[in-house]
Amino acid sequence: MQNLAISIVIPVHNEAHRLRETVLAVREAADVPYEIVVVDDGSTDGCTDFLGSEPSFFKNVRLFRSSTRLGVAEARNFGFRQSRGPAVMFMDGHCQPSDRFLSYLLRALQRLGRGLVVPQITAQGEPTSRGFGMTLSGPSLVPSWLPAQVEEPYFVPIGCGCCQMCFRAWFGQIGHYDRMRIYGIEDLELSLRSWLLGGPVQVVPQAVVAHHFRKRTTCQVTWSDMVYNSLRMAHLHFS
């Protein structure tokens, strides 16, 4: 793809209609050359079928299907290996970005260089619910959203994994997403690791992405998976 600037990697597992809505929303909001790499991680609901039935309409979307269940972190890593852009965005398959979100994030990343940039996150259907990065508090390491500070990009402890962008060289340098169990914590761990290796995390308030916060994940996560992932992050990064 000529002058490709950003590869958007979207791992999906039973996203139903929301994946198509996300792809269309990116198409409407994008203002720089991009490609979308969809990784179908064992979906059984046909959520990626539209890409095969309408190939000319989604010509800058490439679909890859995994023969085995990967989990979110490894599906993102798999998509990264198929991507071609100098900058890579990892995004959930249930997001609605606002106009020019890619150029806002890309400009901030170009100024930052090493590290991660993330947008302002709103809740779909509740536009007044807004998060500007996250922090970890207490021994349970439960993340909490941070309020707005200034209009220009600024540093935050953690960037939410529903939308994270970095240069592909930096992602390779810091070692990709940690191969945790099926779902959860991998985005928090990546933010910590980036900081520790000299790459700050920065929120870009002008870039806005609405995220569908589900009451229950489609990934069939058990409590032992979440405990394992939390303990793994704690063991890696905290005394």
Side-chain angles (χ1 to χ4, degrees), residues 12-194:
V12 297
H13 178 73
N14 292 344
E15 285 291 349
H17 64 282
R18 295 195 182 277
L19 174 62
R20 191 176 193 278
E21 293 175 351
T22 296
V23 172
L24 291 175
V26 170
R27 181 174 179 161
E28 290 297 316
D31 56 345
V32 299
Y34 72 96
E35 68 168 357
I36 295 178
V37 177
V38 174
V39 179
D40 190 337
D41 188 19
S43 297
T44 57
D45 66 348
C47 63
T48 59
D49 290 351
F50 71 95
L51 294 173
S53 61
E54 306 173 78
S56 61
F57 190 64
F58 298 103
K59 58 185 177 181
N60 62 337
V61 183
R62 295 189 293 139
L63 172 63
F64 297 89
R65 287 190 170 92
S66 172
S67 58
T68 59
R69 191 80 165 85
L70 298 174
V72 175
E74 191 54 28
R76 287 173 173 165
N77 291 338
F78 178 84
F80 169 76
R81 292 192 292 271
Q82 316 308 316
S83 68
R84 302 172 293 195
V88 183
M89 171 185 286
F90 300 95
M91 190 166 69
D92 287 351
H94 39 273
C95 291
Q96 296 285 308
S98 296
D99 288 346
R100 301 182 64 195
F101 81 113
L102 287 180
S103 61
Y104 286 132
L105 290 169
L106 185 58
R107 282 201 300 269
L109 182 61
Q110 288 168 338
R111 291 193 295 268
L112 183 66
R114 298 156 57 95
L116 308 174
V117 295
V118 297
Q120 171 192 163
I121 300 297
T122 68
Q124 281 190 26
E126 300 179 35
T128 58
S129 298
R130 298 174 178 271
F132 298 80
M134 298 186 294
T135 189
L136 301 176
S137 56
S140 63
L141 302 180
V142 174
S144 56
W145 292 98
L146 294 171
Q149 293 187 24
V150 296
E151 294 184 0
E152 296 302 313
Y154 59 91
F155 298 141
V156 291
I158 301 290
C160 178
C162 65
C163 188
Q164 295 180 320
M165 181 191 285
C166 61
F167 284 122
R168 69 181 307 107
W170 180 244
F171 189 70
Q173 186 176 338
I174 64 176
H176 305 179
Y177 284 98
D178 188 78
R179 296 185 63 179
M180 294 185 173
R181 291 187 180 177
I182 200 76
Y183 175 89
I185 312 298
E186 75 285 335
D187 55 335
L188 311 182
E189 193 279 328
L190 186 74
S191 293
L192 291 174
R193 183 155 31 102
S194 186

